[in-house]
Amino acid sequence: MTSSMQGDAAAAFVRELTHWRHQRRLSKKELAERTGFDPSYVSHIEHGRHQPTEEFARRVELVLDSGNRIWQRYVDFAGARGHGRLPAPGPSAVPPPAGPHLVIDDEQATLSLVDGWYECRFRRVLHSVGTEPITRHTVQIDIDRFPDDPGRSTAFHSRHPLTLDEVAFTATIGADRPEPMRWRVTRSRDAFLKIALMFDTGGAPVPLYPGQRTVLDYAYRVPVWKYGDWLQRDIRLPTRCLAIRLDLPAAARPTVWGSETSFTSETTADVVPRHQEREGVVAYDWQVPRPRLRGQYRLHWRYGDPRAAGAGADAPAGEWEPDARVEAC
C-alpha cells in the first residue's frame, strides 16, 4: 500500500469522526472525557498530527454510535497501513469496552402535581455495553426551593430537610413483570439524597449482563411548598433519547419554559415545550434526541395563581410566601 493511500484513509477516518462528533453535539473535550483520552490527543487526531489507533476507534464508535461507520473507516485505514493485526469488518468487529459500561437508550421523566405534592416518576431503558455485568445504578433526589437565592434556600432546607418517609421512594426493575429493587441511601444532605439501586429482587441478584437491556423505574414525591419550581436532568451517561413531561393544573395558569446548559461551552439555550390541555390539566412535553453528555436540561415553571396549585398548602406557619416572579406572571 502507498503512503498516499494510507494518508487518504486516515483523512477519511478524521472526516467521519468529525462529522459524527458534530452530529452528537460533543466538543473535543467532551469526547475526550467520555472516551478516556486526553483532549489534546483528540485534537491531534482531528488535525492529522497523530494516526488513529484501534483502541481510540473502538471507544469513539461506542460513544458516537455512528452505526459502525467510524469503525469501518478505521478498518480501511488499518488495511491501507498494511501491517499489524487487521480488525475484522462488520458490526461485530467493534469490541466492547473493558469493565462495566452503561448506556441509557431512553429516559422518560415526569412530574405531576397531585393534592399538594409533586410526584416524580422516571423510567430508564438501560443497556450494558461493557465486558462486565452491571450490579447497581445510582440516582438522586435534588430539590431547591429558592434556586436564585442560595443563602435563603440553604436556611430553608436546613429547617425542613428531606426525609425518607416523606419522599416515599420506590424502584422496580424489569419491563414485562417489574419487581421491587433493593436500594440504600449512600449520601444525604438537607435537600439532597443519593440512592444506590441494587440489581437485586427479593434477595436474588439480577445483574445486567453485557449486551442485555432492562427497564428501571423509580419514583418519589415532595411537598409543593418544599420542592421549588424546576425539574432538571443531568446527563452523566451516554443517553440516546430524553423526554421530560410536566402535568400541571390549568386553573393555576402555569407558564413553562426549558433551558439547556452545557458545562463545557458555558452556553444556555432556551426552549418552549409543547403543551396541550385536557380535563383541567396542562401537559408540557420536551423531547430531546441525543442529549449532550454532561449537559443539563431543565424545565422551569411559574404559576399565575399559586393558590390554585396548592403551593402553600400544609406549609409551616411563616414558611411560605409567593415568589415575586410568580405574582408578576
Side-chain angles (χ1 to χ4, degrees):
M1 298 290 181
T2 67
S3 59
S4 176
M5 293 177 62
Q6 182 178 340
D8 290 345
F13 174 87
V14 169
R15 287 194 298 272
E16 198 75 57
L17 166 66
T18 305
H19 168 77
W20 285 100
R21 182 174 63 77
H22 291 161
Q23 284 287 104
R24 302 306 184 217
R25 299 186 299 164
L26 292 178
S27 67
K28 295 175 186 177
K29 181 179 179 181
E30 288 174 315
L31 180 61
E33 289 173 348
R34 180 54 193 159
T35 56
F37 285 89
D38 190 89
S40 64
Y41 181 80
V42 176
S43 182
H44 287 320
I45 290 288
E46 290 202 10
H47 285 88
R49 293 189 289 266
H50 288 345
Q51 292 186 335
T53 64
E54 180 175 342
E55 180 65 15
F56 177 77
R58 175 178 64 78
R59 293 191 194 180
V60 296
E61 175 61 45
L62 172 66
V63 171
L64 299 178
D65 190 23
S66 72
N68 222 38
R69 293 176 180 84
I70 294 174
W71 178 255
Q72 188 56 55
R73 291 297 186 187
Y74 174 76
V75 172
D76 295 342
F77 165 75
R81 188 173 51 187
H83 63 83
R85 182 175 61 86
L86 189 64
S92 62
V94 186
H101 286 268
L102 198 60
V103 168
I104 300 177
D105 285 343
D106 181 74
E107 173 167 345
Q108 299 176 28
T110 302
L111 177 144
S112 304
L113 177 53
V114 180
D115 298 330
W117 294 78
Y118 283 128
E119 296 185 352
C120 302
R121 298 184 178 278
F122 304 89
R123 165 165 286 207
R124 292 178 177 175
V125 179
L126 305 181
H127 182 195
S128 176
V129 297
T131 59
E132 297 179 10
I134 306 293
T135 59
R136 58 186 284 172
H137 183 60
T138 301
V139 301
Q140 62 188 43
I141 303 173
D142 195 358
I143 65 173
D144 191 347
R145 177 63 183 89
F146 306 104
D148 295 329
D149 191 339
R152 182 184 181 190
S153 198
T154 297
F156 175 85
H157 290 296
S158 177
R159 294 191 300 271
H160 307 288
L162 280 173
T163 67
L164 280 179
D165 289 341
E166 177 180 52
V167 300
F169 184 85
T170 61
T172 63
I173 189 170
D176 299 330
R177 296 182 178 180
E179 298 185 57
M181 299 181 72
R182 186 167 59 88
W183 54 270
R184 62 184 177 88
V185 175
T186 59
R187 188 177 178 186
S188 175
R189 297 198 303 267
D190 292 336
F192 175 85
L193 293 172
K194 189 174 185 178
I195 300 173
L197 306 180
M198 310 300 177
F199 285 52
D200 182 318
T201 61
V206 286
L208 187 64
Y209 290 101
Q212 289 185 337
R213 289 178 171 84
T214 192
V215 175
L216 187 150
D217 291 272
Y218 67 97
Y220 59 85
R221 65 177 192 171
V222 179
V224 171
W225 62 270
K226 183 183 290 191
Y227 187 89
D229 50 17
W230 55 273
L231 176 65
Q232 179 172 296
R233 308 309 298 146
D234 293 341
I235 307 303
R236 297 184 176 89
L237 293 171
T239 301
R240 309 301 190 204
C241 183
L242 171 66
I244 309 176
R245 173 171 173 155
L246 303 180
D247 289 328
L248 303 175
R253 305 198 312 274
T255 298
V256 176
W257 68 100
S259 62
E260 173 189 351
T261 303
S262 168
F263 282 122
T264 53
S265 63
E266 297 184 356
T267 60
T268 298
D270 293 330
V271 301
V272 178
R274 297 176 303 173
H275 67 279
Q276 62 178 0
E277 182 178 344
R278 180 178 298 177
E279 298 180 353
V281 174
V282 186
Y284 295 85
D285 289 289
W286 186 13
Q287 302 287 331
V288 186
R290 297 284 178 178
R292 187 189 300 268
L293 191 65
R294 296 191 68 199
Q296 292 181 331
Y297 297 84
R298 175 184 286 204
L299 282 183
H300 315 250
W301 59 90
R302 299 285 184 269
Y303 294 121
D305 184 356
R307 299 290 181 180
D314 301 323
E319 288 288 22
W320 184 86
E321 59 183 85
D323 193 309
R325 295 168 301 172
V326 173
E327 295 178 327
C329 291

